[in-house]
Structures are given as structure tokens and as C-alpha cells.
Amino acid sequence: MLTVFRAGFAAQWGAGTWPAAPLVAHGTIAAILCGLASDALPPFAYGVFALSVCGALIALPLLGDFGALLRSDPAAEWVEALPVTRFELRLARTMLILLLIAALSLAALLPVAWFAPDAAGWGARLVLIAAGLGQALFLAAILIGLQSVFGERAEALLVLLQTALVVGIVLGFTVGLRWLPRIAHLESPADAGASLALYPPAWFASVLAPWKATPFWPWHASPWLATAAAFATLAACPLPGAPRARTSGGWMARVLSPLRALATRAWVRPAERASFDLVFDALPLEREFVLRTYPLIGIPLAFLIAGSRGDSEAMREGLLAVLLFTPAAYLPILLVHVPASASHAARWLFDTAPLPPEAHAGGAIKAVAVRFLVPLYAMLFLLAWSQVGLSFALRLALPAALLSMILSRKLYRMFVHDPPLSVAPSEIEAKLDWTGVLAGLGVGLTVVAILAANFVTSLAAGLALAGALLAIEWRLDRKATLPA
């Protein structure tokens, strides 16, 4: 059993491949939010707030980058051939999941305990860490159970859950601290009545509530009962079945088929056609790509929700201008997953094709534009139309889409170094040195959005700007100077 556990650990995080970026990001986010909230909340309310943050942070990687560990065992056939019992295999896998979850959780839980209110002693802080670990196990058990019960049908549910988490995290950073006064009166679960009874972070935060003011059942018992149930689920729940191959890209591919036909006739070069067709057809069928990238739509949704209270039309126009011009700031996260594929062993098709790497990259860039950027901007156009008006949407949406297309060429060269669909999803990693590029993109595109909202005030100006950007895109496509 220990041999299988060590092999599994070496395959996940061996040879120094620890997920430094998620660990640093989780610790930083938790430290900032909890450091700002600790002086304004009593211990129980702080526990609800902090464990809500920790729950969202641990759920994101469990749904995304580390979700494959909960969905399948890539070495199942090899491991099952070893002279070990099924119970030992199950125990080794459970130990591996517990270790990985504990490492990811502690990155946020240690700052949470450090910034706990002074009224919570060091003993309570240690118990809070234990409760946070129990909550992480509880969330992992729920995800395993959902996927085991619903199988392939759980994919849409997982995308919705992760999108909701992205929305929640962005809202928490932007306006979450405004909600602190609403929970500042919570000294114990009794102060909230039944409103927190179905909220898991409140169950686990009850370890910080006064014993005399809180009934043992269900509040003081619920964290440990939930943790025990999570252990049982992780140890006994069968793995989800392997997803079946899909032959259709769904309704979106059918809707985009006329635009695809137009692009292949007028825009995609003959040398780029192979990679264009492959990325357009196959990438949306990659489960890991869908689960890791589709929830990015939660970013503009979160900003739209955050600004929905603004009554001023100028405020709404400014917010929607930012939403239209800033998708390129998170476009690298989508582009870096273009090489990800469960069928990555077939990369020899690219390696032996009599085409230069520039042709593969050019076709992939254009497929991403047609398959993903066009639906995104269609949605943003409808949002701008409904929130401000048709004239505003017409004069800004097309220039914003063309700017994102132009930037996607540069971003693809910066972040993608392999052919499309040629790398295992587990080998796609976010790099720490992306932070400066993404922050610069966010700030620069926000400035561009503000300038566009203030100076592109007519449809003629919008069309003129779109024409200039279209000329730049045409020139870049003609040059096609993608390095190998």
C-alpha cells in the first residue's frame, strides 16, 4: 500500500513539481481578506467569513486543475495489475487525496488562523485549522459523489459550480468587504436563526462559537460528523466511469457553422486549415479544457453584478466598456490550455506533418477566435445592448473584439510553446511569472476602455476605430511572423 501511495505521490507532486502558484495565490488571497476582516468581526462571524473564503479557494482547484485526481486514476490499469488487494489500492488513493487536499488547504488556513480575532486563543486557532481541513474533505467528498452518481452528466453541473465560484471570488475581492457589517452581529449560530443551517462554512465555524450559547446538537457536532462522512465517502465511493467519446461539438458548433465556413474560405490559409479544423472541432470536446476554461465567463459576470447597482448611465457605460475591452487580460488562461488533450499521444500528427509550426499556431489562433471569442463577444454585445443601448454596443463591441484578436496573436506566442492538443492536461501549469503580464494587461486594457468610452462617442467613430484595427489584424496576418 505504501509503495502505491509513494508512486502516486511521485506522479502528482514528485521531483519538485509542487503547485507553487496555487499555494501562493491561496495564501495571499486569504491573508488579504482575513487581515482586513479580522478587526471588524467576532470569532464566530470571522470563522464563517474565513471558511467561506477557504472553501471557495479549495473548490476551484478541485473542480479545475486537480479535479482529474477526483475523477480518474491515470495509472489504474497498471496499478490493478500489481499484487495488492483492492482495499489497499483504495486506501493508498484515499491517503494521496487527503495529503494533496491538506497541502492546498493549509496554504489558506494558516493565514486564516494567524489573523483570527484576539478573542480566539491559540487553542481555538488550531481547532479552526482542523475544522478547515474537515471542510475541504467535505467539499472533495461532495464532488466525488456528484461525479460518481451523475457520471458524464455532471460536467455541466461542475462548469456551473466553478463559474459560480469565480463570480463569488471576484465579487469577494471587489465588494465583499462591504458585506462585513451584515454579519458583524453574529456571536454564535443562535444569532442567525435558521439562515445558516444549510451553509457548510457555518457548520465548521461553530468551533469558534461559545459553548454555552450554542447547542451541541447540531452545531458543535456537525463539523465532526461532516468530516467523518467525508472520510467514509472518500474511502468507499467508486470512481466515476470513464467519459465516452463525443462526436459533436453541440449546439454552439452548429450555430457557428456558417461563420466557420466563411472563415475557412476568406481568412484561414490552406496551410492553417488542418490545425484550424482540429482545434475548432476537438478542443471543445476535451473535458479538462472545458472544466478549466469555460468558468472564466464568471469574470465579466461578476463585474456586471458588482456594478448593477449603479444608477448613473455614465457608470454603466464605463463598466461595460471595461467588460468589453478586458477579456484579453484573462485570455492567456484559455490559450495556454489549447495544447491540452487527453489524446496527447497523437501529437506525432503535428510533429510529422510537412507544415511549419507557424501554420499550426496560425490555424489554432483563428479557431480560438471563431469558436470562443465570437460567442463571448456576442454575449457581451447583448449585455451592453440591454444595459445601455444598441448604439453603445455597436460602436464599442466590434473594436473591442478586434483588439482581443490582435492581442491573442501576441499572447499565443508568449504563452503557448507546443502544438495544439499535444500535451497532457496535468502538465499544463500556471506560471508565477505570469502575474506581471496579466496585471499589466488588466491595467492597460482598463485605460483603453476608459479612453474608448470617452472619445468613441458615435457610431462613425466606432466604425473608423474598427476599420483601423481590422487593417492592423490584416497586416499581422499577412506577416505571419510566429517564431518557432
Side-chain angles (χ1 to χ4, degrees):
M1 179 195 67
L2 291 177
T3 301
V4 176
F5 167 75
R6 288 196 296 268
F9 179 80
Q12 290 292 327
W13 285 355
T17 57
W18 283 71
L23 294 177
V24 172
H26 289 190
T28 302
I29 292 172
I32 292 173
L33 293 178
C34 294
L36 294 172
S38 61
D39 293 335
L41 300 174
F44 173 70
Y46 174 83
V48 173
F49 174 83
L51 292 181
S52 298
V53 173
C54 292
L57 291 176
I58 189 63
L60 271 179
L62 290 180
L63 284 166
D65 292 350
F66 297 97
L69 181 65
L70 304 182
R71 292 188 286 272
S72 63
D73 184 355
E77 295 181 358
W78 175 79
V79 170
E80 290 176 358
L82 297 176
V84 291
T85 66
R86 186 166 296 276
F87 173 77
E88 290 175 323
L89 292 176
R90 191 75 193 188
L91 188 58
R93 183 175 182 275
T94 302
M95 290 171 57
L96 178 61
I97 291 175
L98 295 179
L99 178 62
L100 299 183
I101 290 174
L104 287 172
S105 301
L106 287 173
L109 288 171
L110 292 177
V112 162
W114 178 263
F115 288 106
D118 294 337
W122 285 104
R125 297 172 194 232
L126 294 176
V127 175
L128 178 61
I129 293 176
L133 292 173
Q135 177 184 257
L137 295 181
F138 180 73
L139 294 174
I142 289 177
L143 295 177
I144 286 181
L146 286 174
Q147 295 173 83
S148 180
V149 171
F150 293 103
E152 295 178 359
R153 293 171 293 176
E155 181 176 307
L157 177 60
L158 296 178
V159 171
L160 289 175
L161 287 174
Q162 194 167 3
T163 304
L165 285 171
V166 171
V167 171
I169 290 176
V170 175
L171 284 176
F173 253 122
T174 54
V175 299
L177 295 178
R178 301 179 191 174
W179 299 336
L180 294 182
R182 299 185 182 182
I183 63 172
H185 67 285
L186 298 180
E187 299 282 351
S188 71
D191 297 332
S195 60
L196 292 178
L198 299 178
Y199 190 51
W203 307 346
F204 292 92
S206 63
V207 299
L208 296 181
W211 275 81
K212 293 182 179 180
T214 307
F216 176 80
W217 180 261
W219 288 104
H220 283 303
S222 58
W224 316 119
L225 290 176
T227 302
F231 271 113
T233 301
L234 291 173
C237 186
L239 286 174
R244 293 174 297 178
R246 293 177 291 176
T247 59
S248 170
W251 63 270
M252 183 62 72
R254 292 191 291 272
V255 170
L256 292 173
S257 58
L259 184 61
R260 174 187 184 176
L262 178 62
T264 55
R265 291 171 67 87
W267 190 30
V268 180
R269 297 176 179 177
E272 299 170 339
R273 180 67 184 271
S275 60
F276 176 88
D277 286 342
L278 183 65
V279 172
F280 189 98
D281 289 327
L283 195 60
L285 303 181
E286 293 288 343
R287 192 182 191 195
E288 294 301 322
F289 173 83
V290 170
L291 292 175
R292 295 184 188 195
T293 61
Y294 280 23
L296 292 175
I297 195 65
I299 297 176
L301 289 178
F303 282 105
L304 183 65
I305 294 171
S308 60
R309 294 183 179 180
D311 296 327
S312 169
E313 183 174 349
M315 290 180 60
R316 291 199 302 272
E317 288 187 1
L319 173 65
L320 287 165
V322 171
L323 292 182
L324 287 168
F325 279 91
T326 54
Y330 47 88
L331 191 58
I333 302 174
L334 185 149
L335 293 176
V336 79
H337 286 92
V338 170
S341 174
S343 304
H344 58 277
R347 75 171 284 163
W348 61 269
L349 293 171
F350 281 103
D351 293 338
T352 59
L355 294 171
E358 291 82 358
H360 300 326
I365 291 170
K366 294 175 181 179
V368 168
V370 177
R371 188 62 174 82
F372 301 104
L373 285 183
V374 168
L376 172 62
Y377 273 96
M379 185 200 72
L380 293 176
F381 176 85
L382 293 175
L383 284 175
W385 186 359
S386 64
Q387 293 291 316
V388 178
L390 180 60
S391 175
F392 175 85
L394 288 173
R395 70 175 186 263
L396 289 186
L398 183 57
L402 289 170
L403 180 61
S404 292
M405 177 61 210
I406 291 170
L407 290 175
S408 70
R409 292 183 176 276
K410 176 65 175 177
L411 294 173
Y412 195 95
R413 291 195 294 267
M414 291 178 62
F415 293 102
V416 182
H417 307 292
D418 294 285
L421 301 163
S422 64
V423 177
S426 59
E427 297 179 9
I428 301 294
E429 296 182 358
K431 303 295 184 180
L432 286 175
D433 56 3
W434 288 14
T435 307
V437 176
L438 298 182
L441 274 173
V443 173
L445 290 170
T446 300
V447 173
V448 171
I450 294 172
L451 293 175
N454 286 306
F455 293 102
V456 184
T457 56
S458 66
L459 181 59
L463 292 176
L465 178 59
L469 292 171
L470 186 61
I472 294 173
E473 161 58 24
W474 179 82
R475 178 61 179 167
L476 291 174
D477 187 38
R478 286 293 299 265
K479 290 177 64 176
T481 54
L482 291 169

